[in-house]
Amino acid sequence: MVRALLFDLDGTLAETDSVHYPAWAGILASYGYDADWNFYQERISGRLNPEIAAELLPQLSEEERRRIIEAKEEDFRRRVGELEPLPGLVGFVDRAREGGCRVALVTNAPRENALAVLGALGLEGCFDPVVLAEEAGAGKPDPAPYRRALRLLGVAPGEAVAFEDSPSGIRAAVAAGVPAVGVASTHDPSKLEALGAFMVVEDFTDPRLDGLLFGAGRR
């Protein structure tokens, strides 16, 4: 029986890469990078900001990288009004909660970003708990955020289902023992399947998802 649904934020609740991408591309252009979409998907999407900055801008001091990250995230938050929930998300979350499922958020995003996105999508108060990588000791692909969510919810890994759009998120859920649904909003469905997603959907209108709540749908 599924007792809890664990949702990633970026790319899962909403297609946010189209907002993150120009913010990162603008910053990196100043340092000689021509960051196209493939570069963004392979080197940035789903990763933690300090790791991205350390890898791409090793010539800068830690303080300089911190200021760049802050500027990028401020740019992102100015753009969140452009976002909309993925199709079917709100109804699916409502049905889960009405059916007695706990619904949690598990994200690598900074707190300010998470709150800004939830507010822009009209989803404040829908997710309890909200688990941030910065409070879990490590970020995805490490399983720490998912393990923290399971502890806070008091459920076993097999009693939860994770929803993730990125390779790092799928890896984190699988490593924590949580069955993962891949949300192919930005990444190739076959890549998410290869990493261990037991189902891949385009969005939350997929009729198979109600099987997770009301029986069937999981192997």
Side-chain angles (χ1 to χ4, degrees):
M1 178 180 176
V2 177
R3 297 177 57 202
L5 303 182
L6 314 179
F7 291 83
D8 176 49
L9 180 75
D10 289 300
T12 301
L13 301 188
E15 192 287 288
T16 57
D17 277 351
S18 60
V19 180
H20 280 294
Y21 170 56
W24 269 117
I27 289 284
L28 292 174
S30 303
Y31 294 91
Y33 282 98
D34 181 13
D36 63 12
W37 182 246
N38 288 334
F39 180 98
Y40 174 82
Q41 286 194 304
E42 294 298 324
R43 307 285 294 276
I44 295 174
S45 180
R47 300 181 63 199
L48 292 170
N49 282 338
E51 295 174 359
I52 297 166
E55 178 183 307
L56 299 181
L57 302 169
Q59 73 276 23
L60 301 183
S61 69
E62 185 174 342
E63 176 60 22
E64 288 171 324
R65 292 196 294 264
R66 185 187 64 78
R67 288 198 297 268
I68 285 171
I69 289 168
E70 288 179 353
K72 180 266 164 184
E73 296 305 353
E74 287 175 4
D75 188 10
F76 170 79
R77 289 191 291 272
R78 283 194 294 269
R79 301 169 184 261
V80 295
E82 305 169 19
L83 300 176
E84 295 182 358
L86 281 190
L89 172 70
V90 174
F92 182 62
V93 169
D94 286 345
R95 292 193 297 278
R97 297 174 73 191
E98 290 166 3
C101 270
R102 298 285 300 278
V103 179
L105 190 70
V106 183
T107 179
N108 276 358
R111 178 175 293 279
E112 294 86 351
N113 283 22
L115 295 177
V117 171
L118 291 176
L121 299 179
L123 295 173
E124 305 100 320
C126 286
F127 300 93
D128 182 25
V130 172
V131 176
L132 306 172
E134 62 194 38
E135 298 173 353
K140 307 169 193 175
D142 194 284
Y146 276 107
R147 289 175 176 161
R148 177 174 171 80
L150 295 171
R151 288 195 301 272
L152 292 173
L153 290 165
V155 301
E159 295 176 318
V161 174
F163 294 86
E164 283 282 357
D165 75 297
S166 70
S168 65
I170 297 290
R171 290 189 182 99
V174 169
V178 179
V181 173
V183 180
S185 62
T186 51
H187 289 274
D188 187 330
S190 63
K191 185 171 187 177
L192 302 181
E193 288 178 345
L195 290 169
F198 75 88
M199 179 191 299
V200 177
V201 300
E202 182 177 343
D203 57 40
F204 295 91
T205 64
D206 193 306
R208 294 175 295 166
L209 291 177
D210 275 354
L212 301 176
L213 304 180
F214 307 116
R218 280 178 60 189
R219 294 196 295 269

